[in-house]
Amino acid sequence: LLDWVKYKGNPVLVPPPGIGVKDFRDPTTAWTGPQNGQWLLTIGSKIGKTGIALVYETSNFTSFKLLDGVLHAVPGTGMWECVDFYPVSTKKTNGLDTSYNGPGVKHVLKASLDDNKQDHYAIGTYDLAENKWTPDNPELDCGIGLRLDYGKYYASKTFYDPKKQRRVLWGWIGETDSESADLQKGWASVQSIPRTVLYDKKTGTHLLQWPVEEIESLRAGDPIVKEVDLQPGSIELLRVDSAAELDIEVSFEVDKVALQGIIEADHVGFSCSTSGGAASRGILGPFGVIVIADQTLSELTPVYFYISKGADGRAETHFCADQTRSSEAPGVGKQVYGSSVPVLDGEKHSMRLLVDHSIVESFAQGGRTV
């Protein structure tokens, strides 16, 4: 597609009555409808503070008809940007073409919330005949439940790769430098490493996101493998040629007897963002990896697990990334990001970190939380 001719009939899609000009954007990949030759696509919008996904039908991609009702709506979530809608297999380990439907299939509805610049998703069931999507769990509905990424990540979209039968996700990482710093360096923001997306059959509630296999071709030299016995408060130094570009995979085995014997009710309602970061020590954490650290450890970025345990004895694992000491430079964002992550019986606490200069992408439990 090197030569393009602008269609004289533009615009082919305009906001319907009652929808503002700025509240109508980012159509999805189309999928086949129930009628022969019919294609459907959805586009994000809002009515008041309710985020909605409108659905249009077409047979030629120049004439579009708005279908009655909406694919889905969630009150209080505001404008839905970059809506994404696609099937995932509950049985197989490959991605699915956007038009695929039938037994053993769930559908993912994803929206980028313009109000808070967060990418949310939910898993549910799509009724093609009724043109309705229903979440499996209303408490985890799109915009109020799970997020694709709990860091600085927005405006993502997927596509189906038929050659490798996978669904690939791209996202936008908006850095937090000042505008003057962006002008000085000559660029602003970056694209994320592409990720494959699969349904998490073990939990039935989450997606699994994982860096595409092509990333592994960037590895240089023999891997550094190390096994250590970590004691409370200890830091194990790992020497590498360059700390600016790393692919780290690590797993932690927590002493089960010790974990069961510990009663910790001090961190009920633990949250990465309000915890004070990795410097706040407890009985069951933090434990993880420190990256982008200087010699004196005055600058460092910890990515870590913390296990909180309530008075009822139930343990909950949290996966956090602490930016509070990432840079001594003024005027950049310094937050603690993260969320809880399910760690199932028999699973070790595992993480993979992709470090690329100013960006750290972190994947917990095989990509269950990112």
Side-chain angles (χ1 to χ4, degrees):
L1 297 175
L2 298 177
D3 299 305
W4 295 76
V5 178
K6 190 171 182 179
Y7 178 58
K8 293 180 180 179
N10 276 329
V12 295
L13 272 170
V14 295
I19 299 294
V21 174
K22 293 183 178 181
D23 303 329
F24 184 80
R25 53 185 178 273
D26 310 327
T28 61
T29 304
W31 65 94
T32 52
Q35 300 166 21
N36 189 34
Q38 180 191 42
W39 290 87
L40 304 175
L41 62 81
T42 183
I43 189 168
S45 187
K46 68 173 182 176
I47 297 177
K49 280 291 182 180
T50 298
I52 62 173
L54 302 167
V55 178
Y56 284 81
E57 68 169 2
T58 183
S59 60
N60 55 14
F61 291 91
T62 54
S63 301
F64 290 83
K65 177 187 175 185
L66 176 64
L67 299 186
D68 292 335
V70 295
L71 179 70
H72 194 58
V74 180
T77 55
M79 174 64 196
W80 283 6
E81 293 190 293
C82 297
V83 170
D84 207 4
F85 186 64
Y86 54 89
V88 287
S89 174
T90 60
K91 300 183 183 300
K92 300 179 181 179
T93 56
N94 58 272
L96 299 175
D97 180 87
T98 310
S99 295
Y100 199 94
N101 205 348
V105 171
K106 296 280 187 182
H107 272 75
V108 175
L109 178 63
K110 171 260 156 187
S112 297
L113 306 189
D114 191 27
D115 288 355
N116 59 17
K117 299 297 184 287
Q118 295 176 357
D119 275 21
H120 284 252
Y121 78 90
I123 300 170
T125 303
Y126 174 49
D127 186 330
L128 181 62
E130 295 295 325
N131 188 42
K132 291 289 181 185
W133 176 88
T134 305
D136 288 347
N137 182 352
E139 293 183 6
L140 295 177
D141 206 344
C142 190
I144 61 172
L146 299 172
R147 288 169 57 181
L148 273 180
D149 190 302
Y150 289 86
K152 192 81 174 170
Y153 185 89
Y154 192 63
S156 64
K157 284 274 194 172
T158 66
F159 68 89
Y160 177 65
D161 171 10
K163 185 175 181 180
K164 293 195 173 181
Q165 293 189 317
R166 59 184 177 176
R167 182 156 291 274
V168 179
L169 171 71
W170 291 91
W172 167 49
I173 302 173
E175 295 184 287
T176 58
D177 291 321
S178 65
E179 186 177 349
S180 59
D182 288 338
L183 290 170
Q184 214 171 15
K185 67 188 182 185
W187 54 275
S189 302
V190 296
Q191 200 79 349
S192 69
I193 297 293
R195 308 168 182 174
T196 56
V197 180
L198 291 171
Y199 175 77
D200 184 3
K201 290 183 282 188
K202 291 182 179 180
T203 63
T205 54
H206 287 62
L207 293 176
L208 296 175
Q209 303 171 65
W210 200 246
V212 293
E213 62 184 3
E214 286 84 351
I215 295 303
E216 294 165 21
S217 68
L218 301 178
R219 293 173 178 168
D222 295 327
I224 299 171
V225 180
K226 198 163 187 176
E227 188 172 324
V228 296
D229 182 13
L230 293 173
Q231 299 301 316
S234 65
I235 294 178
E236 185 76 21
L237 189 63
L238 189 62
R239 297 192 180 278
V240 295
D241 291 336
S242 170
E245 294 175 296
L246 294 171
D247 187 348
I248 304 169
E249 293 190 56
V250 59
S251 63
F252 299 90
E253 196 162 4
V254 180
D255 189 308
K256 293 181 181 178
V257 176
L259 179 60
Q260 291 170 357
I262 291 172
I263 299 173
E264 182 187 68
D266 295 337
H267 285 83
V268 178
F270 179 93
S271 168
C272 293
S273 60
T274 60
S275 65
S280 299
R281 294 260 301 278
I283 300 173
L284 300 170
F287 56 95
V289 179
I290 294 171
V291 294
I292 312 294
D294 65 2
Q295 292 289 346
T296 63
L297 297 185
S298 61
E299 286 189 341
L300 48 81
T301 302
V303 180
Y304 59 93
F305 290 110
Y306 188 95
I307 303 173
S308 63
K309 205 170 183 183
D312 60 358
R314 294 180 62 183
E316 183 178 38
T317 299
H318 305 264
F319 185 54
C320 313
D322 181 2
Q323 294 184 345
T324 56
R325 291 173 291 165
S326 290
S327 174
E328 292 184 342
V332 297
K334 298 176 183 179
Q335 295 178 248
V336 183
Y337 291 108
S339 173
S340 62
V341 56
V343 179
L344 308 182
D345 289 342
E347 290 184 343
K348 294 182 179 180
H349 289 70
S350 64
M351 65 170 76
R352 182 178 179 186
L353 276 59
L354 296 180
V355 179
D356 187 9
H357 297 274
S358 59
I359 303 298
V360 182
E361 294 191 53
S362 313
F363 304 79
Q365 303 308 112
R368 197 172 284 156
T369 295
V370 187

